[in-house]
């Protein structure tokens, strides 16, 4: 989705094809993945608007398109718009990906949404043999959804990856933070 103004165009993180400024982080994550040392629960923290979600979508595309045609280009940090995983992510139809975020109409992420993630995790994988859950705006998890998420984080297997994005560390439970490897984003 894009929003236009007279002077500029805002592209949603899901649709941003080029990654800017986080090449070092990206290469570090790639190295960890190739060595099978990528943490299963990654917390991306920092002020809103720095590109944490864009970074997450790029790395998720890298993971999901690793064996596909038109896979993610690590050389120039771009998503190929003809990539099957990219198209499925944009249409919310990728069988190995689940997004948990607050709706614009609801401030909090409700427990029903976490239960949907639990159902997703109970299903078998398709093609890549990994599952990825992206939790955006984790500071909007209410106490019930946070507790349900804790159980899921504790029971995740080595083929399930959680990318948790938050903009306000004072509003996320310390018990969730304690189960994650935190990467702080800043300029």
């Amino acid at each position: 989705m894009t929003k236009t103004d007279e002077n500029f165009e805002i592209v949603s993180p899901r649709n941003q094809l080029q990654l800017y400024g986080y090449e070092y982080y990206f290469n570090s994550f790639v190295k960890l993945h190739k060595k099978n040392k990528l943490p299963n629960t990654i917390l991306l923290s920092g002020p809103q608007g720095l590109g944490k979600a864009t970074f997450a979508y790029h790395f998720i595309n890298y993971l999901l398109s690793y064996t596909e045609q038109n896979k993610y280009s690590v050389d120039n940090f771009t998503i190929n718009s003809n990539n099957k995983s990219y198209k499925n992510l944009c249409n919310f139809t990728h069988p190995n990906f689940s997004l948990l975020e607050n709706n614009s109409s609801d401030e909090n992420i409700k427990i029903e949404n976490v239960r949907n993630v639990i159902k997703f995790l109970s299903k078998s994988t398709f093609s890549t043999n990994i599952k990825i859950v992206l939790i955006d705006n984790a500071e909007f998890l209410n106490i019930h959804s946070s507790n349900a998420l804790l159980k899921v984080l504790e029971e995740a297997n080595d083929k399930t990856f959680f990318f948790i994005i938050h903009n306000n560390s004072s509003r996320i439970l310390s018990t969730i933070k304690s189960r994650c490897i935190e990467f702080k984003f800043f300029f």
Side-chain angles (χ1 to χ4, degrees):
M1 169 173 37
T2 59
K3 295 179 183 178
T4 56
D5 191 340
E6 291 178 26
N7 301 325
F8 61 93
E9 178 180 21
I10 299 172
V11 179
S12 75
R14 182 181 305 106
N15 300 98
Q16 181 64 259
L17 296 176
Q18 181 70 45
L19 182 65
Y20 298 101
Y22 294 112
E23 294 84 2
Y24 175 78
Y25 277 114
F26 196 91
N27 286 330
S28 298
F29 277 45
V30 167
K31 286 177 188 174
L32 287 170
H33 179 254
K34 287 183 177 180
K35 293 179 180 178
N36 291 323
K37 296 192 183 272
L38 184 68
N40 289 75
T41 307
I42 297 171
L43 180 65
L44 305 176
S45 63
Q48 187 170 4
L50 289 183
K52 299 180 299 293
T54 300
F55 174 85
Y57 275 107
H58 272 257
F59 195 70
I60 289 167
N61 183 270
Y62 164 79
L63 292 173
L64 293 174
S65 70
Y66 195 72
T67 59
E68 297 176 355
Q69 287 184 332
N70 304 313
K71 67 183 180 179
Y72 187 88
S73 174
V74 180
D75 296 331
N76 57 9
F77 305 99
T78 56
I79 296 173
N80 187 320
S81 61
N82 294 319
N83 173 261
K84 180 181 174 184
S85 286
Y86 169 71
K87 290 178 181 179
N88 286 338
L89 285 171
C90 287
N91 295 323
F92 302 99
T93 59
H94 200 290
N96 293 358
F97 175 78
S98 181
L99 174 64
L100 180 61
E101 63 182 346
N102 64 321
N103 298 330
S104 57
S105 61
D106 295 329
E107 179 165 317
N108 289 325
I109 299 173
K110 307 237 185 286
I111 193 166
E112 297 85 37
N113 303 94
V114 176
R115 287 181 180 142
N116 289 336
V117 169
I118 294 169
K119 287 179 192 173
F120 161 76
L121 292 172
S122 69
K123 297 177 183 175
S124 60
T125 61
F126 181 78
S127 74
T128 59
N129 204 25
I130 62 171
K131 288 186 180 186
I132 298 174
V133 176
L134 175 61
I135 302 169
D136 199 359
N137 297 316
E139 61 269 17
F140 291 108
L141 289 162
N142 65 32
I143 190 69
H144 302 295
S145 56
S146 293
N147 287 330
L149 180 63
L150 279 172
K151 185 168 174 53
V152 172
L153 294 177
E154 290 170 350
E155 296 175 355
N157 65 38
D158 62 337
K159 296 291 185 181
T160 302
F161 296 95
F162 291 88
F163 292 89
I164 303 172
I165 300 171
H166 77 88
N167 305 312
N168 186 345
S169 62
S170 66
R171 292 191 58 198
I172 189 169
L173 288 180
S174 59
T175 50
I176 290 179
K177 287 174 74 172
S178 70
R179 285 160 178 76
C180 304
I181 302 296
E182 184 174 11
F183 293 88
K184 295 183 179 182
F185 279 63
F186 53 89
F187 280 119

